[in-house]
Amino acid sequence: QNGFTLGVVSDGDELAERYAGLVARYENTRVGSSSVHLRFGFESYHQQWNRSTLEELAPASPQFEAAEYERTSAPYRTRQNFEPEVSFTVVKPLTLSVCASFERFQNQYPLPHTEAANAITAGVRYHRNFEGDENQQDVSAEYKLRAATRELDSDFVYSRHRAQMRYTLTHGRNVVIDDVSVGAISGRAPLFERLYLGNSS
């Protein structure tokens, strides 16, 4: 019922920047009962930016800098995150989760300084598998709300809604996957929390 994960990550596709670093996680799949799961996660990354991205984010004037950084964060050098999470299986295909995220990062501009984007995350997930004589079908849907507030000593105040639906059909060696993601964000959020178009997925 206890699991430990330690990994090395290098990803230049998911976000606007390439991030590389370490991921560590501890999971307990049975806290009192099999319907309660507990997880502690830690991430530590170092960022690399394309020159074109930095030029786009660079302020052209003090007035632009004030307006632009009211909308999002400056480029950052490092980012760390600690996340304790509890999830509950309500009924077999439905799971509820509550998570606290304590995220800190070091901005590069105008001078190196550290900011926090601490948030509470709540989510609901549906997952079900259907097996037939020839076909195997897998259906999953998930909705997550992430909210950062001053009460958590966060320098950013924002809310992000994200929903994902995924359908997988397997027939012998053939697999068809239909994956749809939608999201909306409001408030001032750091760059790694914003929604992107154009990656490989």
Side-chain angles (χ1 to χ4, degrees), residues 26-171:
Y26 164 74
E27 293 181 90
N28 188 325
T29 59
R30 186 182 177 90
V31 182
S33 71
S34 59
S35 61
V36 182
H37 294 189
L38 180 65
R39 185 180 74 171
F40 294 95
F42 175 76
E43 304 166 298
S44 180
Y45 301 123
H46 179 81
Q47 275 68 31
Q48 293 179 334
W49 300 84
N50 291 330
R51 179 173 298 179
S52 58
T53 306
L54 293 176
E55 291 174 352
E56 184 69 23
L57 291 171
S61 66
Q63 292 79 13
F64 176 86
E65 179 179 356
E68 178 67 12
Y69 292 162
E70 284 179 2
R71 184 176 61 85
T72 188
S73 68
Y76 34 85
R77 294 177 176 176
T78 60
R79 174 166 63 93
Q80 293 84 35
N81 184 32
F82 173 67
E83 281 191 351
E85 180 184 54
V86 179
S87 61
F88 310 88
T89 302
V90 183
V91 291
K92 190 59 176 177
L94 196 63
T95 303
L96 302 177
S97 63
V98 179
C99 173
S101 174
F102 302 96
E103 204 149 21
R104 301 180 66 84
F105 54 97
Q106 185 184 53
N107 280 332
Q108 300 185 56
Y109 304 109
L111 293 173
H113 62 286
T114 301
E115 291 187 295
N118 302 326
I120 292 292
T121 301
V124 57
R125 184 172 186 265
Y126 173 87
H127 179 248
R128 192 165 184 183
N129 186 275
F130 303 90
E131 291 193 17
D133 295 335
E134 297 183 355
N135 299 326
Q136 180 177 338
Q137 302 177 73
D138 189 273
V139 179
S140 64
E142 185 176 30
Y143 165 77
K144 279 192 174 182
L145 168 64
R146 183 181 179 91
T149 67
R150 299 290 186 194
E151 285 73 15
L152 295 173
D153 198 24
S154 175
D155 296 302
F156 294 81
V157 177
Y158 64 93
S159 61
R160 186 182 74 169
H161 304 264
R162 185 168 186 176
Q164 184 173 13
M165 289 75 68
R166 184 180 180 94
Y167 172 76
T168 304
L169 174 64
T170 303
H171 179 82

